[in-house]
Amino acid sequence: PLPDLDERPERIESLVDDELSRLTQLLGDEQLAKRVLKLKKKFGGTIQGTIPELIIMDYLDRKRYHYEFQMWLLGVRALRGGQVIDFAVDAGTRVIVLEMQGYFHTKPSNVSNDAAQRLALMGVRIWGKKVVLVEIWERRLLDKHLRGPVLEAAMQGMELGR
């Protein structure tokens, strides 16, 4: 039989502190790590956001952008060509679609899928506005020196590449 998990409040607190410590080390910013953990806890598993997606969500919230997370488009996955985009952000006269990219997206089979999704988004309008697709690479977002410039450029519709 498996041992019982220690569920005393001080043990759970210790696990939370460990998560904060690991996230702070990864992000190089304790305040951001706390905000990301707060978002993760706020949604309590109702969203399937990765740490990089939660970083973007934190940025959009702090800048007070109107956005939709994991927006369904073109029939979602039920129809060929349907997709779920990571973020649709209302940027005034246009909608910036932010797509989080990482190691998974560099595999040959996924590169062609991503290219097909980019083509499918051409000409699509969200909230009656033209769409600009911007890919944000996880590696850049996790670097505390690149994070701000990458997000600022993305909201101008500029992609900084891998």
Side-chain angles (χ1 to χ4, degrees):
L2 294 172
D4 290 335
L5 291 175
D6 188 351
E7 293 185 17
R8 292 175 294 176
E10 61 272 10
R11 176 63 182 138
I12 291 173
E13 237 174 79
S14 169
L15 291 173
V16 170
D17 289 345
D18 288 347
E19 186 175 17
L20 175 60
S21 176
R22 282 191 307 275
L23 196 52
T24 298
Q25 185 175 4
L26 175 68
L27 302 177
D29 182 338
E30 184 176 7
Q31 294 307 310
L32 175 59
K34 286 179 179 178
R35 291 192 309 268
V36 165
L37 288 175
K38 188 175 179 180
L39 279 170
K40 189 175 172 184
K41 184 177 179 183
K42 175 183 174 182
F43 292 104
T46 59
I47 63 167
Q48 300 299 314
T50 64
I51 295 301
E53 288 170 336
L54 293 174
I55 291 169
I56 294 171
M57 189 180 290
D58 171 71
Y59 172 83
L60 295 173
D61 287 345
R62 284 186 302 108
K63 297 290 186 174
R64 301 189 187 281
Y65 281 103
H66 168 74
Y67 67 92
E68 188 169 330
F69 178 60
Q70 295 182 344
M71 177 184 258
W72 296 10
L73 282 182
L74 307 171
V76 195
R77 293 183 179 112
L79 300 174
R80 187 169 181 79
Q83 57 189 289
V84 177
I85 58 173
D86 293 333
F87 293 90
V89 186
D90 188 338
T93 59
R94 59 191 179 167
V95 171
I96 306 287
V97 170
L98 301 175
E99 282 293 302
M100 192 65 236
Q101 302 289 3
Y103 171 74
F104 174 80
H105 297 277
T106 62
K107 296 178 182 176
S109 61
N110 296 323
V111 170
S112 60
N113 288 341
D114 288 347
Q117 287 184 340
R118 281 185 89 92
L119 286 172
L121 281 175
M122 293 177 82
V124 168
R125 295 178 83 75
I126 297 175
W127 304 317
K129 299 176 183 181
K130 181 183 174 208
V131 168
V132 175
L133 177 64
V134 177
E135 292 180 340
I136 297 179
W137 287 85
E138 179 178 1
R139 180 184 67 78
R140 289 181 176 269
L141 199 58
L142 294 178
D143 183 320
K144 71 179 182 177
H145 301 292
L146 297 176
R147 184 179 306 126
V150 164
L151 291 168
E152 292 296 328
M155 292 315 301
Q156 298 303 315
M158 295 183 289
E159 216 172 270
L160 298 181
R162 294 182 196 191

